[in-house]
Amino acid sequence: MFAKAFRVKSNTAMKGSDRRKLRADILAAFPSLSADDLSELIPNKDELNVVKIYTHKGDAVTLYILHKNPVCFQLDKHIYPTVYTLWKYPDMLPAFVTWPAVLQKLVGGADLMLPGVVVPPSGLPEVARGDCCAVTLVSNRAPVAVGTVTMSSEDMMSSGMKGKGVNILHTYMDHLWSSGDKSVPPPLPATVDKELMEGEGGEGVEVGGEDDEVGEERQKQNGETGSCSGPEGDPACPGLQEPILEESENEEERQETGKEEREEEEQDSKSPQEQMDALLLQCFLHALKTRVKKSELPLLTSTFLRNHMVSCCPSGKQLDIKKSSYKKLSKFLQCMQKEHSLVQVKELSKGVESIVNVDWKNPELRSFTAPEDCGMVETPAEVGGPCEAPYQPPEITALYGVTAKLEPIFLDAKKKCVLSVVLCVFICVNPILCDCLLEKSEYQEVEKLKWDDLFSRYTLCHPAVVKKGQVDPIDISVSSRGSNKKVTIIKNLEVFGLDPAAVAAALQHRVQASTVLHDVPGSKDRVLVQVQGNQIQQVGKLLLDEYHLPRKYIQGLEKAQKPGKKK
């Protein structure tokens, strides 16, 4: 069932009432468990997640995850334990014993055929058709597979141990196992006698798929490689930790070439939340090992995230704590402090946390190796894509048009004394300027004009954009939403040739906050960018330092928060 990657539909935390119901269901299915075993299996306070998935065949399965390891799974209202659980409670299910050579076939998706079952002197376990059972190896009592029997134990013996015996649902080394910590089976003493291993080794190792013909073909193949007794006492069965059938050189080459594909499948089998958790830990270790210096401590946690962790994010990926299981930076850092002992975080001022100490000698940190594709986050010039040209700020030149009212000033080009300059600051208003520039109410009041005031009375002309009036500046404002939540709104980016979506993506990387695009009310071709929180200062840095826009065309920078003050 889990031989190929599965697709995650949802991942939610389990409530207390659901835990009690799950304990009751597990106890009804597996009465051999004690109350202490149930409390350890489904604890009251530890984080337990419910993950709904679809297998590659389309089956809907519910997984129960504890400490990132699948504990059990539910299929068609029946609960089955995983190998991680069976390694803790090996006697939880009746077990059928098989040879190590069979395991790899089971991992590939085959079912267990009765000729491959080793019958111990005590006989087969008592089971009825459809009962849940485990599969172990002659070399180790730790279960390596979980499934349901196709017939009762009496029918198995009466059939002469032929045909399909167990429908395999989950195995060691399949994709459900790889979604956990990928630990190996613990070494447990085998119950099968050594004489039985030597006497019946390799006979009847038959692995079947959907019919007996497949089992017969594989039985022929196993006739050459299925022997589990070596000459002069050499063990042909693999060790307890890795019971894997030895392959030929060609098979090893094929496995090596398919290693990358399997890693990609394992990555795809993880939920987006688990992938983001792994990315967070990678960026965290990378930042501590290569970016943070001891002289920078104490370091604000927000600064550590924005300036160090984000810059360690691999190209093509985006770091977003809200998409992880931690949801908040403070919760992630608490985990790094308590479970990994990597950093020490303290609240030096009310509501502001800082990293005050880093354990540079931590084995996990010292053994970490940064991936080759890790680098700086894309600059705004590259956000649009590698094939697009870098952003170039527009050259804005103010052109003044001569209206009919101003025409008398320029009628006689030979007159050089139309403007009388006083100390190069003020312009003396003569009769011509009075008629052209002043309103009737100003005739008796205004005698001099400043240069800026004079040119402000001219009409601007825009040859590149057919539009009258001045250039609309980029408007940055802060607004309140809901319960006193602040959002920053940016308008008129299109006037300067900026793509609002690219600016929103750059801001999301820079400030680690959500961004949204909205249509500007009353305008068909304008879009505004909304950023969570008061981010005027960061928006100003982006527009001035990265996009190199003139400050005079940015409106609202004066509303930025002052250092050390909260609004």
Side-chain angles (χ1 to χ4, degrees):
M1 176 175 289
F2 303 103
K4 295 183 180 180
F6 52 80
R7 178 170 61 89
V8 177
K9 178 184 177 183
S10 63
N11 187 345
T12 58
M14 198 172 195
K15 298 180 181 179
S17 58
D18 295 333
R19 296 187 188 214
R20 290 190 292 271
K21 183 177 182 302
L22 179 61
R23 283 198 205 96
D25 293 341
I26 293 178
L27 183 59
F30 313 108
S32 61
L33 293 176
S34 64
D36 294 337
D37 294 338
L38 284 174
S39 300
E40 183 181 359
L41 195 62
I42 310 295
N44 289 323
K45 296 184 179 180
D46 292 355
E47 186 174 358
L48 183 66
N49 288 4
V50 180
V51 181
K52 295 184 178 181
I53 65 171
Y54 289 110
T55 65
H56 67 284
K57 292 184 178 180
D59 297 322
V61 182
T62 302
L63 308 180
Y64 298 95
I65 310 295
L66 176 67
H67 300 153
K68 298 184 179 181
N69 274 348
V71 175
C72 55
F73 61 95
Q74 188 172 12
L75 174 65
D76 297 333
K77 297 183 179 180
H78 294 284
I79 294 180
Y80 303 93
T82 64
V83 291
Y84 291 107
T85 300
L86 291 176
W87 293 341
K88 293 182 179 180
Y89 312 103
D91 299 325
M92 185 175 177
L93 295 176
F96 290 88
V97 184
T98 188
W99 305 100
V102 180
L103 176 59
Q104 188 174 5
K105 307 298 181 181
L106 300 182
V107 174
D111 293 324
L112 179 63
M113 305 299 289
L114 289 177
V117 176
V118 177
V119 181
S122 58
L124 294 175
E126 293 294 330
V127 292
R129 181 178 180 180
D131 285 354
C132 182
C133 67
V135 177
T136 64
L137 302 178
V138 292
S139 56
N140 189 359
R141 196 165 60 92
V144 294
V146 180
T148 58
V149 294
T150 60
M151 61 184 79
S152 64
S153 52
E154 291 82 1
D155 293 339
M156 292 181 185
M157 297 302 296
S158 61
S159 66
M161 296 301 289
K162 293 182 180 181
K164 185 188 298 185
V166 181
N167 290 318
I168 300 298
L169 300 176
H170 158 55
T171 67
Y172 163 57
M173 292 188 298
D174 67 2
H175 283 269
L176 179 58
W177 167 84
S178 64
S179 67
D181 59 13
K182 300 182 181 180
S183 55
V184 297
L188 300 178
T191 57
V192 181
D193 294 337
K194 184 177 180 181
E195 295 179 359
L196 180 62
M197 293 174 58
E198 295 177 353
E200 298 185 3
E203 295 183 3
V205 180
E206 182 177 14
V207 183
E210 298 180 355
D211 50 38
D212 293 343
E213 294 180 0
V214 178
E216 292 176 359
E217 292 179 1
R218 292 182 177 175
Q219 184 181 14
K220 294 177 182 179
Q221 296 175 0
N222 291 332
E224 300 177 359
T225 60
S227 178
C228 277
S229 61
E232 300 180 3
D234 292 340
C237 295
L240 298 176
Q241 298 296 325
E242 292 290 342
I244 303 173
L245 178 64
E246 292 184 359
E247 296 291 338
S248 62
E249 294 182 359
N250 294 335
E251 182 66 22
E252 290 178 357
E253 292 178 359
R254 288 195 297 269
Q255 289 180 354
E256 291 178 359
T257 55
K259 184 178 180 180
E260 296 182 357
E261 296 179 1
R262 290 197 301 271
E263 290 178 353
E264 291 179 359
E265 288 182 357
E266 291 177 1
Q267 183 71 14
D268 294 338
S269 67
K270 292 185 178 180
S271 66
Q273 195 176 66
E274 292 174 340
Q275 295 179 21
M276 186 56 64
D277 288 349
L279 182 61
L280 268 176
L281 180 60
Q282 174 186 316
C283 296
F284 176 77
L285 295 173
H286 190 183
L288 288 182
K289 190 165 186 177
T290 62
R291 304 300 173 97
V292 179
K293 299 180 181 179
K294 192 173 183 179
S295 59
E296 297 180 3
L297 301 179
L299 179 64
L300 289 175
T301 56
S302 57
T303 304
F304 172 70
L305 173 65
R306 183 172 59 251
N307 295 346
H308 299 292
M309 286 186 63
V310 174
S311 62
C312 294
C313 186
S315 58
K317 295 185 179 181
Q318 181 177 340
L319 201 63
D320 191 348
I321 291 183
K322 291 187 176 181
K323 294 181 180 179
S324 68
S325 61
Y326 304 100
K327 305 301 182 185
K328 295 182 179 180
L329 177 62
S330 58
K331 188 176 179 181
F332 170 73
L333 292 176
Q334 286 176 5
C335 177
M336 296 298 103
Q337 178 176 345
K338 294 179 180 180
E339 298 184 10
H340 298 261
S341 301
L342 287 165
V343 294
Q344 185 178 1
V345 181
K346 286 186 178 180
E347 190 174 319
L348 299 181
S349 58
K350 188 176 181 181
V352 180
E353 292 185 339
S354 300
I355 299 176
V356 297
N357 187 31
V358 177
D359 185 7
W360 310 103
K361 297 182 179 180
N362 187 287
E364 185 176 4
L365 182 59
R366 296 183 65 178
S367 61
F368 174 77
T369 303
E372 297 179 357
D373 59 344
C374 287
M376 297 298 293
V377 181
E378 295 174 340
T379 60
E382 298 172 346
V383 170
C387 297
E388 296 182 5
Y391 172 78
Q392 296 293 338
E395 295 182 4
I396 302 175
T397 305
L399 302 178
Y400 296 90
V402 179
T403 62
K405 188 177 180 180
L406 299 174
E407 188 177 359
I409 300 178
F410 301 93
L411 284 178
D412 191 355
K414 294 181 180 180
K415 293 184 179 180
K416 300 179 182 180
C417 297
V418 176
L419 305 178
S420 300
V421 182
V422 178
L423 298 177
C424 298
V425 177
F426 292 97
I427 307 299
C428 294
V429 179
N430 57 19
I432 297 177
L433 292 177
C434 181
D435 294 337
C436 296
L437 301 177
L438 300 183
E439 301 292 337
K440 289 184 179 180
S441 60
E442 298 176 327
Y443 282 174
Q444 304 298 328
E445 298 177 359
V446 179
E447 297 180 354
K448 299 177 182 178
L449 288 174
K450 289 186 177 181
W451 281 100
D452 294 340
D453 192 10
L454 183 142
F455 283 105
S456 66
R457 295 172 184 258
Y458 279 79
T459 301
L460 283 173
C461 177
H462 304 275
V465 180
V466 182
K467 177 184 174 183
K468 292 184 178 180
Q470 296 183 348
V471 177
D472 294 332
I474 294 177
D475 182 63
I476 308 173
S477 60
V478 176
S479 180
S480 298
R481 296 284 188 274
S483 57
N484 199 27
K485 291 184 178 180
K486 304 291 185 181
V487 293
T488 303
I489 299 174
I490 312 158
K491 301 179 182 178
N492 302 331
L493 292 170
E494 300 91 342
V495 176
F496 297 86
L498 290 171
D499 181 10
V503 175
L507 284 172
Q508 190 173 17
H509 277 294
R510 179 181 285 264
V511 303
Q512 286 297 295
S514 61
T515 58
V516 184
L517 299 179
H518 293 295
D519 293 332
V520 176
S523 179
K524 296 182 180 180
D525 56 349
R526 294 287 182 90
V527 177
L528 62 85
V529 178
Q530 178 178 304
V531 190
Q532 186 179 14
N534 186 344
Q535 309 292 353
I536 292 182
Q537 188 174 8
Q538 295 297 330
V539 174
K541 288 182 179 180
L542 178 67
L543 297 176
L544 295 173
D545 300 339
E546 303 293 343
Y547 290 115
H548 305 291
L549 291 175
R551 181 179 287 270
K552 64 180 180 179
Y553 294 117
I554 303 176
Q555 178 180 315
L557 293 178
E558 67 279 358
K559 300 176 185 177
Q561 286 182 326
K562 304 298 180 183
K565 295 183 180 181
K566 292 185 178 180
K567 291 186 178 180

